[in-house]
Amino acid sequence: AQSPITAVVLSADGKEVIVGTERGDVLAYTLATPVAQRSLANYGKAVRGLAASTDGSSILASGDDRKLHSLDPKTGEQRGVVDFDAELTAVALSANNAAIAVGLAKGGVVTLDAKTLAQTASLMGHTGLVSGLSFNTTGTQLVSSSTDGSTRLWDLATGSLAQHFSGHEG
């Protein structure tokens, strides 16, 4: 990549590393020798989060363009896009490929149905940029971390905060 790498994910089949760059590129690198690179997309603004479906059907990219992009991992064809009112700082996809979570620079988490890309919940509580997201293996809980020094565990069935961990510094 000709620009600093800002996000990375391994493809579902383990044969490619997908990277996002500060310049807005989404690139795929083969894990074979010799390494081959191909471009999947360029959004013109930094890619901050990448996620790959476990069935190999899609790549999710999010970032400073305030959009969540769903891409075909083979062709880079855009399958769907969702606009937000803030930069997106993180993205996660549940193991069953049913739910997506995006973190916002303004401090919040939005969940979406992975098939329709419709919003399912808005999880508020962080006062700083959301820096990380991860679903549990069953997709019933989501953990979020933030530059506000807190980590939050969310119950997705109710859309409520299950546990709050605070006091982290740095």
Side-chain angles (χ1 to χ4, degrees):
Q2 299 292 331
S3 178
I5 293 173
T6 53
V8 63
V9 69
L10 191 61
S11 65
D13 63 9
K15 294 181 179 179
E16 291 183 309
V17 173
I18 313 298
V19 300
T21 71
E22 187 70 34
R23 186 174 63 194
D25 295 302
V26 178
L27 305 168
Y29 291 91
T30 61
L31 295 176
T33 304
V35 172
Q37 172 195 318
R38 60 191 178 91
S39 176
L40 294 175
N42 180 284
Y43 300 118
K45 293 189 177 185
V47 174
R48 302 290 177 196
L50 289 170
S53 63
T54 57
D55 63 5
S57 66
S58 65
I59 298 288
L60 300 173
S62 64
D64 290 356
D65 69 349
R66 299 179 174 207
K67 298 176 189 296
L68 172 69
H69 303 271
S70 176
L71 305 172
D72 181 305
K74 302 295 183 214
T75 66
E77 177 185 343
Q78 185 157 283
R79 293 184 171 155
V81 64
V82 180
D83 293 305
F84 289 85
D85 65 354
E87 288 82 8
L88 303 181
T89 55
V91 63
L93 182 60
S94 63
N96 65 0
N97 303 312
I100 299 168
V102 293
L104 306 176
K106 66 181 184 177
V109 176
V110 175
T111 61
L112 304 107
D113 178 280
K115 280 191 176 179
T116 65
L117 298 180
Q119 183 174 325
T120 54
S122 181
L123 309 173
M124 295 303 169
H126 287 297
T127 58
L129 176 148
V130 173
S131 55
L133 296 164
S134 184
F135 285 93
N136 69 343
T137 57
T138 60
T140 58
Q141 294 178 312
L142 177 74
V143 65
S144 59
S145 61
S146 171
T147 58
D148 66 9
S150 73
T151 300
R152 294 171 183 265
L153 178 66
W154 303 94
D155 178 334
L156 297 178
T158 63
S160 63
L161 182 65
Q163 200 160 359
H164 178 229
F165 309 94
S166 62
H168 301 284
E169 295 180 18

